[in-house]
């Protein structure tokens, strides 16, 4: 691990080490998830409740980006950085969004997300794994979410990007009779 009194805490390096040790294929509860009745979309509810009154524009942009995520999922089987950058442009209401050019620091500088010339290619490889059907859907969703949290690829809005990325892997698997792709995702609130 990169953490320690004599070393700067690089959370990305730590995550990349831990990521390889997790048995992603072992966790599966897709059958139990699919069997429960559906209630309204939990992601939409979260943004409406937490952002609606205090930041309606932020909420509206996040929900618009969610619609773009669902649309992209119907057209492509892969989660890619260019697709995510497009979502971020919507979320942040910017014309351009690119991969960060400097290490990112959080928690008052106590934690960093490193950057090397190979970091953009490394995240692309990790994102491509979100379409690996040999890994259960809940594991793919969790791994995509965590990849985005630790790669911290954007200058701003990384938590929202991680939530959107976590939703994306499940959008390819639609059950007959469902009206929206969100209905098939494990993060959708169920009774």
């Amino acid at each position: 691990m990169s953490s320690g009194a004599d070393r700067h805490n690089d959370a990305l390096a730590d995550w990349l080490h831990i990521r390889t040790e997790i048995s992603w294929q072992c966790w599966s509860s897709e059958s139990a998830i699919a069997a429960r009745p559906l209630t309204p979309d939990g992601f939409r509810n979260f943004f409406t409740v937490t952002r609606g009154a205090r930041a309606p524009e932020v909420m509206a942009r996040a929900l618009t980006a969610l619609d773009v995520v669902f649309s992209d999922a119907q057209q492509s089987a892969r989660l890619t950085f260019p697709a995510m950058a497009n979502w971020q442009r919507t979320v942040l209401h910017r014309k351009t969004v690119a991969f960060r050019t400097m290490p990112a620091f959080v928690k008052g500088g106590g934690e960093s997300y490193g950057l090397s010339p190979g970091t953009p290619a490394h995240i692309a490889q990790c994102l491509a794994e979100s379409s690996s059907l040999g890994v259960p859907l809940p594991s793919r969703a969790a791994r995509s979410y965590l990849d985005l949290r630790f790669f911290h690829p954007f200058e701003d809005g990384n938590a929202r990007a991680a939530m959107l990325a976590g939703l994306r892997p499940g959008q390819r698997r639609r059950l007959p009779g469902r009206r929206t792709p969100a209905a098939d995702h494990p993060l959708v609130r169920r009774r």
Side-chain angles (χ1 to χ4, degrees):
M1 302 290 236
S2 68
S3 305
D6 60 336
R7 300 168 77 175
H8 194 292
N9 183 4
D10 183 345
L12 175 57
D14 290 346
W15 166 243
L16 292 174
H17 174 76
I18 292 167
R19 187 181 191 275
T20 62
E21 297 178 351
I22 298 171
S23 297
W24 297 107
Q25 296 82 0
C26 293
W27 190 78
S28 179
S29 66
E30 291 183 69
S31 300
I33 288 173
R36 290 182 272 174
L38 298 170
T39 59
D41 184 334
F43 184 87
R44 289 184 195 281
N45 289 347
F46 170 79
F47 266 90
T48 301
V49 169
T50 63
R51 303 290 194 280
R54 66 182 169 101
E57 290 178 18
V58 171
M59 177 196 70
R61 289 194 308 264
L63 296 181
T64 299
L66 180 62
D67 291 336
V68 175
V69 169
F70 292 158
S71 175
D72 285 356
Q74 296 304 310
Q75 298 171 25
S76 171
R78 291 195 162 251
L79 175 60
T80 65
F81 185 80
M84 289 180 28
N86 184 45
W87 308 341
Q88 274 306 85
R89 283 192 293 274
T90 303
V91 167
L92 300 176
H93 194 62
R94 295 185 184 162
K95 289 183 180 184
T96 61
V97 175
F99 202 94
R100 63 185 166 88
T101 58
M102 299 179 65
F105 296 91
V106 297
K107 300 178 184 174
E111 187 170 287
S112 71
Y113 303 99
L115 181 67
S116 73
T119 303
H122 202 161
I123 193 173
Q125 176 187 356
C126 290
L127 294 175
E129 293 175 9
S130 71
S131 63
S132 172
L133 297 178
V135 176
L137 175 60
S139 293
R140 286 184 281 139
R143 186 172 59 193
S144 295
Y145 172 83
L146 292 167
D147 282 341
L148 265 289
R149 291 296 293 203
F150 287 103
F151 272 96
H152 213 79
F154 303 108
E155 289 181 19
D156 189 24
N158 287 287
R160 287 167 281 179
M163 283 192 281
L164 292 169
L167 289 169
R168 175 60 175 77
Q171 300 315 311
R172 292 184 25 234
R173 188 185 68 114
R174 293 191 69 188
L175 300 175
R178 301 290 187 219
R179 298 187 75 180
T180 63
D184 297 336
H185 198 277
L187 298 180
V188 173
R189 192 178 299 164
R190 303 177 191 276
R191 291 184 224 233

